Amino acid sequence: MKTIDRIRKVAKKLFLERGFKKVSIREIAEKAEVPASSISYYFGSKKNLYHDVVTESHVATEISVREKIEESALSLFASKGYESVTIRDIAAAADVNSAAISYYFGGKKELYMAILQVGADILKRTQDTTDLTNNMPEFIIRHYMESFASLVVTYPESLRIMEWELIKTTDTFKQMWKSWYQPIFLEVYKAIQQGIKEGIFRKNLNPEGACILWISMMVNFFTAADVKGKNNLIDLDKSLSLEAYFESAADIFINGIKLKAEELL
């Protein structure tokens, strides 16, 4: 079976079983046993693939009103930040009446929370599958980097939203942060402390400063990509993928905090 046909077959099954929002490009690629880049090559985006296979199966091609609102709001919040987006903006982008947003979500704040919850649920699934009991500090730090990378690869808009939240934090995001994100960074902080205690990481390392650096490396992918791409400040031939960025970030961070050979003498 041709690559494009495998993608269509798997995508059709997943979309019909679980709907547009709950299926990721990565999941389709894994089940079709093709690179994720193949989906972009043949279809351009998940939405284009959805319309292609759903139309082919003679099922209605319109995404539900709720999903249209969520998708439009997600795009706007990611590109402009929460404060700069209005209910009218979202309604216009989704091609719905403003009243529909109140009907489905209650208001802008509740809609924003629903969008943030999608990212939190993805993060939770990655945490539920791994037992970190008695693991080495380096493993714990890498695990949380991989979990964060999985969230961003699956739901890249979440990272854009976080970048906006670093500029001006909303009360809604603070709630989500305390529930899901802060515990992760506390675990990283404790792993760094433990690594220092066990003689794995540098003795003069400041755990709080290292943790802040770790957070910055996690949320600054798009800043790096913009510097490289849109602004042409870095002239490189290869594209900077999310996967490559997080792999490099993990290596740089771990090697930077490890105890050097000369320090063991």
Side-chain angles (χ1 to χ4, degrees):
M1 184 182 292
K2 293 180 179 179
T3 298
I4 190 170
D5 293 328
R6 288 208 307 274
I7 294 171
R8 280 179 170 144
K9 182 178 179 181
V10 169
K12 175 181 174 181
K13 182 176 184 296
L14 292 173
F15 285 142
L16 291 178
E17 286 177 351
R18 292 158 50 199
F20 177 84
K21 195 69 179 177
K22 295 182 179 180
V23 178
S24 70
I25 288 288
R26 171 175 279 190
E27 184 177 10
I28 295 170
E30 288 177 350
K31 292 188 179 298
E33 297 181 347
V34 301
S37 57
S38 295
I39 297 175
S40 297
Y41 175 79
Y42 286 112
F43 300 96
S45 67
K46 187 175 82 168
K47 184 181 289 187
N48 290 344
L49 173 58
Y50 175 84
H51 282 293
D52 183 280
V53 297
V54 171
T55 299
E56 185 179 280
S57 63
H58 305 293
V59 179
T61 60
E62 288 297 321
I63 300 172
S64 72
V65 172
R66 184 183 180 92
E67 286 182 325
K68 284 170 66 177
I69 293 171
E70 284 186 337
E71 280 215 335
S72 299
L74 175 62
S75 178
L76 288 169
F77 288 142
S79 63
K80 299 171 63 176
Y82 178 81
E83 295 294 342
S84 298
V85 177
T86 67
I87 288 290
R88 182 173 292 181
D89 293 334
I90 298 168
D95 194 24
V96 299
N97 191 290
S98 296
I101 297 174
S102 298
Y103 176 79
Y104 285 103
F105 297 96
K108 175 181 159 184
K109 179 180 178 180
E110 292 78 8
L111 172 55
Y112 192 54
M113 178 63 84
I115 287 171
L116 293 177
Q117 187 64 51
V118 173
D121 289 344
I122 293 171
L123 198 60
K124 183 178 185 298
R125 285 197 294 271
T126 65
Q127 300 309 307
D128 289 345
T129 57
T130 306
D131 182 9
L132 297 178
T133 307
N134 299 322
N135 273 298
M136 297 287 287
E138 180 178 342
F139 177 87
I140 294 172
I141 293 171
R142 284 188 180 276
H143 165 73
Y144 283 118
M145 277 190 156
E146 290 169 3
S147 296
F148 209 90
S150 178
L151 163 64
V152 176
V153 169
T154 305
Y155 202 52
E157 295 87 354
S158 63
L159 196 53
R160 284 287 193 191
I161 289 174
M162 284 186 190
E163 288 184 329
W164 282 111
E165 289 289 346
L166 288 176
I167 297 172
K168 187 173 183 179
T169 306
T170 62
D171 290 337
T172 306
F173 186 80
K174 285 179 182 177
Q175 296 175 33
M176 193 65 67
W177 177 270
K178 288 180 180 179
S179 299
W180 289 110
Y181 298 103
Q182 187 173 348
I184 289 176
F185 295 123
L186 288 176
E187 289 301 317
V188 172
Y189 180 84
K190 288 190 291 185
I192 293 171
Q193 286 185 313
Q194 187 64 28
I196 296 171
K197 182 179 179 181
E198 294 178 4
I200 300 171
F201 301 150
R202 289 161 35 204
K203 294 178 181 179
N204 63 345
L205 188 67
N206 182 310
E208 185 175 3
C211 198
I212 291 172
L213 174 62
W214 187 88
I215 295 172
S216 298
M217 294 174 81
M218 293 299 94
V219 301
N220 281 337
F221 167 78
F222 286 110
T223 300
D226 286 346
V227 167
K228 178 196 171 297
K230 294 179 182 177
N231 300 324
N232 269 331
L233 297 182
I234 304 177
D235 186 16
L236 297 176
D237 293 332
K238 295 182 179 179
S239 61
L240 181 64
S241 68
L242 281 163
E243 292 90 343
Y245 174 84
F246 278 105
E247 184 177 348
S248 296
D251 288 339
I252 291 169
F253 183 82
I254 294 296
N255 289 326
I257 66 174
K258 270 186 174 179
L259 198 65
K260 307 301 178 187
E262 58 269 22
E263 295 179 275
L264 296 171
L265 300 177

